Amino acid sequence: MTGSLRGLKVLDFSTLLPGPMATLFLAEAGAEVIKIERPETGEEMRYYPPTWGDSSVNFSLLNRGKKSVTVDLKNQSEREKLIPLIEQADIFVEQFRPGVMARLGLDYESIAKINPKISLLKTFLNNKRALINPFRNLLIKYFLNKLE
């Protein structure tokens, strides 16, 4: 993939619209985006209409250009498969309710112990408004780290 974000690695734990849209922009700018999905069913948007053949049009549009890996986040041995990905990632994107990632051992404090340079982009819905940490700060941090 070419683009100004080539070399940036993103772990995408998000679903539905806000997170996948944000990581789509990163992928289209050249970042390598690895989407983490639950085993067997994957993300629920895979089954949303409208469909083209067996695929959801919405899912296909929002997740084009991304790699997909399945991990059962509720299983400790499955979560350990994420360690090499976290070690290599620049950005970690998630949109779970507050406290969920901490219960799974995947909150910022835990992943920063594995990779101190990783940035967290947390998206979630609160009072019907999407709250997204500014990409600008993440991208500035990324490019400053590349200059060191």
Side-chain angles (χ1 to χ4, degrees):
M1 178 134 316
T2 62
S4 59
L5 298 182
R6 189 178 60 212
L8 184 77
K9 186 175 273 190
V10 179
L11 293 184
D12 181 5
F13 289 78
S14 65
T15 61
L16 301 174
L17 181 64
M21 176 77 75
T23 57
L24 172 63
F25 295 150
L26 296 174
E28 289 185 340
E32 177 185 3
V33 178
I34 302 170
K35 183 169 185 61
I36 309 299
E37 296 188 73
R38 62 180 162 255
E40 309 204 14
T41 59
E43 181 188 335
E44 63 188 84
M45 188 176 271
R46 285 182 175 273
Y47 310 101
Y48 283 19
T51 59
W52 183 267
D54 293 335
S55 299
S56 164
V57 172
N58 297 330
F59 180 85
S60 297
L61 288 172
L62 287 170
N63 293 288
R64 66 186 181 271
K66 301 177 188 178
K67 297 177 181 177
S68 183
V69 174
T70 58
V71 177
D72 182 355
L73 296 179
K74 295 180 181 178
N75 180 312
Q76 175 63 35
S77 63
E78 285 277 310
R79 284 194 310 270
E80 289 175 8
K81 294 178 186 177
L82 294 170
I83 293 173
L85 295 174
I86 294 169
E87 288 173 337
Q88 300 171 11
D90 299 292
I91 299 176
F92 186 99
V93 180
E94 65 100 343
Q95 69 184 44
F96 291 96
R97 290 182 317 276
V100 170
M101 293 304 260
R103 285 193 301 274
L104 296 171
L106 293 170
D107 57 318
Y108 181 75
E109 291 73 22
S110 300
I111 63 171
K113 288 178 185 172
I114 298 168
N115 179 351
K117 290 189 173 188
I118 200 164
S119 294
L120 173 67
L121 174 63
K122 182 169 180 58
T123 68
F124 60 97
L125 294 177
N126 185 7
N127 296 328
K128 300 183 182 178
R129 291 186 356 202
L131 301 176
I132 302 175
N133 289 349
F135 279 119
R136 182 189 56 148
N137 294 338
L138 291 172
L139 299 178
I140 290 170
K141 181 177 178 181
Y142 170 73
F143 285 115
L144 288 176
N145 284 337
K146 289 293 184 185
L147 294 174
E148 291 177 351

